[in-house]
Amino acid sequence: MWRVISERFHQGFRTGKFPLEEPKLPPRFRGLPRFDGECPSGCRACEELCPFGACAVRERKMAIDLGRCLFCADCPACPQGRITFSNDYRLAVRRRQDLLYSGGAYPLAEPLEPARLKLFGRSLKLRQVSAGGCNACEADCNVLNTLVFDLGRFGIQFVASPRHADGILLTGPVTENMRSAVLDTYEAVPGPKVVIAVGACGVNGGPFVDSPETNQGLGTLLPVDLYIPGCPPHPYTILDGLLRLLGRR
Amino acid sequence: MMKNDLEAQLLKNGGTVDLSLMESLGYDEFSRCLLAEVKAGGRVAALFGVPGEGKNEGLELFALIARDRSAQIAVYRTEVGTSFPSLTQSCPQIHLFEREIAEQYGVTPTGHPWLKPLRFHRVWQGDTDVWGRPPDERPRPGDMEFYRIEGEGVHEVAVGPVHAGIIEPGHFRFQCYGEKVMHLEISLGYQHRAIEPMLLAGPHPFTMAQMETIAGDTTIGHGLAYCQVIEALSGCVVPERAQSIRAMALELERLANHVGDIGALAGDIGFLPTASFCGRLRGDYLNLSAALCGSRFGRGLVRPGGVLFDLDATLASGMQTRIDEIEGNTLGALNLFFDEPSVLGRLEGTGRVSRSVAEDLGLVGVAAKACGVPRDSRFFHPTGVYRQLFDEMITEETGDAMARAHVRLRETMVSIDLLRRIGTSLPAGPVKVPVGPLKANTLAVSLVEGWRGEVVHVGITDAGGRLRRYKIVDPSFHNWSGLAMALRDEQISDFPLCNKSFGLSYCGFDL
Ligand code: SF4
Ligand code: SF4
């Protein structure tokens, strides 16, 4: 017993000050892309060069679809080198089209509408489903339960059964072999409910967007309330998104 | 010593064979060689089908046998028609390889004692699978005959695919007598993303990202294995500094996962101090990877030809300082766990696998080492800095959950020491060199000791130097069978603890 207490003392108090203090992310962390949507060259090379189809040029304006983007360290998309990444980890949005980013202000997620906010604002129970996720997105959800992030202090909890849940949080591109299990789990959650897609896979298929064995994430299967991009998203990106959805940030 | 009458092509880890010079054996000769290799202590690192290049050509089989003692890999090839005699009865460690060949190419290993689907996908060539399903019918996951025991008091428990925690999907079928498990059958495939087929005619621009996410917790392990195949096929020599940085990343990945797994075991046992300390410490190791390359999982670090991120002097010394800081906390948290009698009581004797079963099933990595079976490609087939720096392979004797936890504890200490030694002897020079085109008609193999165990990648190019077949073997491919055996005669309530003590990958198996 004394050893446990002394070790506890030795390990110190570790719960982060988030959201009162912004997290310190390493300088090489790749967050919100930094580029100017007004493309001077108009070469449209990025449309071909991004292997995941994340770039599109419309009327000289370049947009990166953050729902498809993997935040690659060696992003080959722009031959002029106009795409770099900032340290901004806040990426969650409410609508799919908000992920088409052309630089400038980013439309961060708004809270749920009043009816559901009233129900879930102070207590949100989520059933996590992995459907072809590589276990990195899953790990970054799991880590929110550790004492550094301490998800429970926000009234958010992952639960064991869809029957106990207010919504599902999905990771993975939705493999064909998991498709019906995902839909069944969604059905089993009593309404009203929320659906959260975490990671490039869950949003749009991620690295597996062109696989014959996967769907393109949840987008085409279920109505999604919150999109959290990244491959995988940083735990703070997920936490920030959840808190915004509940109107807590 | 191996008898010289085995006509094998021998290569080293990271080596290549020119396939135009390699003879194809008759199947009888192929099976004789394979069984003789295994009898002499070889392990089947990979066994897979390669379709002929013409339309109506048959299927070739390639076997890669790791001869650990001589640091060699022996390669054999043969050709089969619509069926071939199964070797599983005399060599159980290939049971899943044969099932895989059957499922992928619709070729029957006749006499296979347990011929069931592995991943539940359509056959890759031809119209009919070996289970006679019509070509337009997609197999349903988990739709197969499970082994059943009948009798009074015997009941079946089915769990999954969706589990209670934040965990990947898989289906477990227990045959129980009361609380006691007589048999566990594991049916996976839910995470199948068709990674191997997507590599055909590659490498493609999207390939590297897929290699890093075969099993996302083994980003460095699989990413490195892939890069070594591409480097072997293109004859690229990776700068020493890059090799050191790769090894640091591989050890950081091991540390994060081992420490995290011990924390998860502590959580299952209900020993919360270690569970919560380790949850945070795992993050500390992940954050070191993020300091190096921006991603906690090492995404974007390893690329063919080297690494994308260098360590400048400030970053290198900053990382060393940080390692010194967390080392004390790590050992404190782990020792607390291993000194607690109630913890030991839960782990000792639980989920035991014998040494002979481990050898028969071809277990690798932590699961094998826990049974006293020496398996570590850093030791037997070293590449890069491991040639000089790695000499401390860990094994335990008891084969139970305790042994598996203990391997992780001791490997944690070895990895911290390795990090320090690599970090203080970083060679100068570039961290990346250009990679040329791939050699035509060539096979290359790469073994990497990921944190779970040996990761095997094999690439085969066509006449134009594109990938004609790419085979990936995640350590979990072998080790799930170990978990099934560990459950025999255990209480069903011990399943979560046994499962955690193996800590296997679903998507790595399902690819
Ligand atoms: S970072 Fe990767 S996914 Fe995103 S635009 Fe660049 S290449 Fe495409
Ligand atoms: S988005 Fe990336 S990290 Fe998340 S599950 Fe998909 S591949 Fe893995």
Side-chain angles (χ1 to χ4, degrees):
Chain A
M1 190 65 210
W2 284 116
R3 270 198 70 194
V4 172
I5 294 170
S6 89
E7 188 59 39
R8 166 70 186 76
F9 186 72
H10 182 64
Q11 302 266 349
F13 181 80
R14 301 291 180 158
T15 303
K17 298 243 170 13
F18 190 83
L20 292 177
E21 274 176 27
E22 284 294 325
K24 278 196 206 62
L25 297 174
R28 288 174 174 176
F29 171 77
R30 295 178 291 282
L32 186 70
R34 194 177 6 216
F35 67 102
D36 184 2
E38 305 290 335
C39 179
S41 94
C43 68
R44 307 185 80 120
C46 54
E47 294 186 347
E48 293 297 315
L49 288 175
C50 167
F52 307 98
C55 298
V57 180
R58 301 258 178 287
E59 292 153 9
R60 298 205 140 246
K61 235 180 155 45
M62 202 279 247
I64 299 184
D65 180 352
L66 296 188
R68 284 176 174 258
C69 184
L70 307 184
F71 302 76
C72 312
D74 46 356
C75 173
C78 178
Q80 328 275 344
R82 293 179 58 245
I83 304 175
T84 55
F85 293 91
S86 75
N87 222 267
D88 192 348
Y89 66 96
R90 298 163 309 156
L91 296 168
V93 301
R94 290 293 309 281
R95 293 174 310 167
R96 183 67 182 86
Q97 67 263 35
D98 288 348
L99 290 171
L100 298 176
Y101 180 59
S102 284
Y106 185 72
L108 286 169
E110 297 286 331
L112 285 167
E113 78 288 347
R116 280 190 296 171
L117 192 60
K118 187 151 178 281
L119 279 172
F120 304 138
R122 286 148 64 91
S123 159
L124 179 68
K125 310 285 174 205
L126 293 169
R127 177 68 265 235
Q128 203 279 333
V129 185
S130 165
C134 73
N135 202 29
C137 277
E138 290 78 358
D140 271 349
C141 292
N142 235 335
V143 84
L144 296 178
N145 289 320
T146 63
L147 47 90
V148 178
F149 302 94
D150 195 11
L151 191 62
R153 72 195 151 118
F154 303 107
I156 308 171
Q157 201 189 352
F158 291 107
V159 294
S161 163
R163 298 280 185 215
H164 304 161
D166 303 315
I168 64 171
L169 182 151
L170 180 119
T171 52
V174 187
T175 49
E176 267 309 300
N177 283 347
M178 272 303 283
R179 186 190 156 100
S180 66
V182 168
L183 298 178
D184 288 350
T185 308
Y186 173 76
E187 283 307 320
V189 174
K193 45 194 160 188
V194 296
V195 176
I196 300 169
V198 169
C201 280
V203 175
N204 204 101
F208 308 102
V209 56
D210 292 323
S211 162
E213 283 284 333
T214 69
N215 294 278
Q216 298 194 344
L218 264 191
T220 51
L221 297 175
L222 291 175
V224 178
D225 295 294
L226 184 68
Y227 297 91
I228 306 182
C231 181
H234 195 279
Y236 277 121
T237 307
I238 305 176
L239 186 53
D240 170 74
L242 294 174
L243 294 185
R244 284 181 194 280
L245 186 72
L246 301 183
R248 311 272 291 266
R249 284 211 88 185
Chain B
M1 277 312 289
M2 191 63 51
K3 282 192 253 105
N4 354 331
D5 63 343
L6 298 174
E7 296 282 322
Q9 279 283 342
L10 295 179
L11 58 157
K12 294 264 174 204
N13 185 9
T16 59
V17 191
D18 181 346
L19 289 183
S20 60
L21 302 177
M22 188 182 160
E23 111 179 89
S24 179
L25 305 174
Y27 185 77
D28 288 347
E29 181 62 9
F30 175 84
S31 39
R32 188 186 72 80
C33 292
L34 196 144
L35 296 178
E37 288 276 3
V38 171
K39 192 150 178 252
R43 300 182 289 117
V44 185
L47 170 65
F48 55 95
V50 183
E53 284 182 283
K55 258 232 144 42
N56 294 319
E57 277 180 59
L59 186 73
E60 279 198 286
L61 300 186
F62 279 80
L64 279 80
I65 316 288
R67 295 182 185 173
D68 287 343
R69 267 164 289 157
S70 56
Q72 287 170 322
I73 297 147
V75 188
Y76 297 95
R77 85 199 273 197
T78 185
E79 207 168 319
V80 296
T82 53
S83 69
F84 60 94
S86 162
L87 300 178
T88 292
Q89 301 270 18
S90 10
C91 178
Q93 60 174 298
I94 64 169
H95 71 128
L96 292 180
F97 285 126
E98 288 190 338
R99 278 168 69 177
E100 185 179 49
I101 292 166
E103 181 168 47
Q104 293 173 343
Y105 298 105
V107 167
T108 310
T110 41
H112 192 293
W114 200 261
L115 188 56
K116 310 176 187 196
L118 273 191
R119 307 191 175 103
F120 303 90
H121 56 72
R122 284 200 187 89
V123 57
W124 289 352
Q125 70 170 23
D127 296 331
T128 37
D129 66 17
V130 302
W131 298 279
R133 269 186 288 248
D136 52 346
E137 185 186 308
R138 201 203 142 74
R140 291 209 337 270
D143 180 12
M144 65 178 201
E145 287 282 325
F146 285 89
Y147 180 81
R148 294 191 72 163
I149 299 175
E150 273 161 19
E152 205 174 325
V154 178
H155 62 280
E156 185 179 74
V157 180
V159 180
V162 181
H163 305 295
I166 302 181
I167 180 169
E168 298 175 69
H171 183 75
F172 301 88
R173 213 43 100 83
F174 299 88
Q175 310 295 320
C176 299
Y177 181 71
E179 285 282 291
K180 191 155 117 187
V181 178
M182 291 186 282
H183 180 76
L184 161 63
E185 190 166 358
I186 302 171
S187 175
L188 302 176
Y190 297 91
Q191 302 285 73
H192 179 60
R193 297 153 295 175
I195 292 180
E196 286 181 8
M198 283 189 282
L199 274 152
L200 293 186
H204 305 288
F206 58 73
T207 299
M208 192 67 228
Q210 292 188 349
M211 296 299 100
E212 291 186 319
T213 51
I214 291 167
D217 48 31
T218 313
T219 294
I220 301 292
H222 276 288
L224 183 53
Y226 167 74
C227 289
Q228 288 183 357
V229 166
I230 297 302
E231 287 149 7
L233 286 172
S234 60
C236 161
V237 180
V238 178
E240 282 182 10
R241 187 172 177 83
Q243 297 195 343
S244 294
I245 294 176
R246 288 173 166 191
M248 289 182 81
L250 190 65
E251 297 310 318
L252 281 173
E253 186 166 88
R254 192 179 326 277
L255 282 165
N257 284 293
H258 278 0
V259 169
D261 270 0
I262 295 178
L265 272 174
D268 258 17
I269 294 175
F271 188 64
L272 297 183
T274 297
S276 59
F277 300 151
C278 284
R280 178 209 21 119
L281 288 161
R282 172 180 169 278
D284 288 342
Y285 291 109
L286 294 176
N287 288 342
L288 281 170
S289 297
L292 178 56
C293 70
S295 157
R296 290 158 31 100
F297 293 88
R299 303 282 158 87
L301 178 66
V302 185
R303 288 292 180 272
V307 292
L308 282 184
F309 294 90
D310 199 355
L311 266 177
D312 58 38
T314 347
L315 186 53
S317 72
M319 282 176 70
Q320 290 301 332
T321 319
R322 190 78 190 112
I323 291 163
D324 295 343
E325 282 166 18
I326 50 187
E327 180 181 20
N329 281 338
T330 305
L331 296 183
L334 300 187
N335 287 335
L336 199 60
F337 180 71
F338 286 99
D339 288 347
E340 180 69 36
S342 60
V343 167
L344 303 187
R346 247 348 238 108
L347 290 174
E348 280 172 358
T350 305
R352 200 171 167 275
V353 178
S354 70
R355 180 176 177 141
S356 66
V357 165
E359 283 178 338
D360 285 351
L361 289 174
L363 300 194
V364 293
V366 173
K369 293 182 240 199
C371 306
V373 181
R375 295 276 181 266
D376 197 316
S377 23
R378 292 173 295 174
F379 187 81
F380 291 115
H381 304 274
T383 56
V385 284
Y386 292 110
R387 286 200 197 100
Q388 291 89 40
L389 285 185
F390 188 76
D391 42 24
E392 209 180 335
M393 179 177 42
I394 301 294
T395 52
E396 290 278 330
E397 292 304 320
T398 47
D400 51 5
M402 179 66 200
R404 289 185 284 277
H406 225 228
V407 169
R408 291 185 173 90
L409 164 74
R410 293 171 59 204
E411 287 201 337
T412 298
M413 301 200 263
V414 172
S415 289
I416 292 177
D417 184 45
L418 267 175
L419 272 182
R420 209 170 271 136
R421 283 156 68 199
I422 302 168
T424 47
S425 59
L426 268 183
V431 295
K432 196 164 182 301
V433 291
V435 180
L438 310 190
K439 287 179 230 164
N441 279 326
T442 303
L443 175 148
V445 60
S446 145
L447 312 179
V448 169
E449 190 72 11
W451 63 275
R452 282 193 184 90
E454 180 180 84
V455 172
V456 184
H457 283 218
V458 188
I460 296 181
T461 52
D462 62 15
R466 310 298 299 175
L467 290 173
R468 177 183 152 206
R469 177 75 168 99
Y470 197 91
K471 180 80 204 100
I472 304 160
V473 188
D474 185 87
S476 304
F477 185 75
H478 304 282
N479 287 0
W480 279 110
S481 304
L483 172 63
M485 293 306 291
L487 254 285
R488 290 218 169 151
D489 289 335
E490 283 294 333
Q491 302 279 309
I492 190 168
S493 50
D494 275 340
F495 174 66
L497 188 59
C498 288
N499 194 13
K500 285 263 160 59
S501 75
F502 276 84
L504 301 178
S505 170
Y506 297 75
C507 56
F509 180 97
D510 293 342
L511 300 178

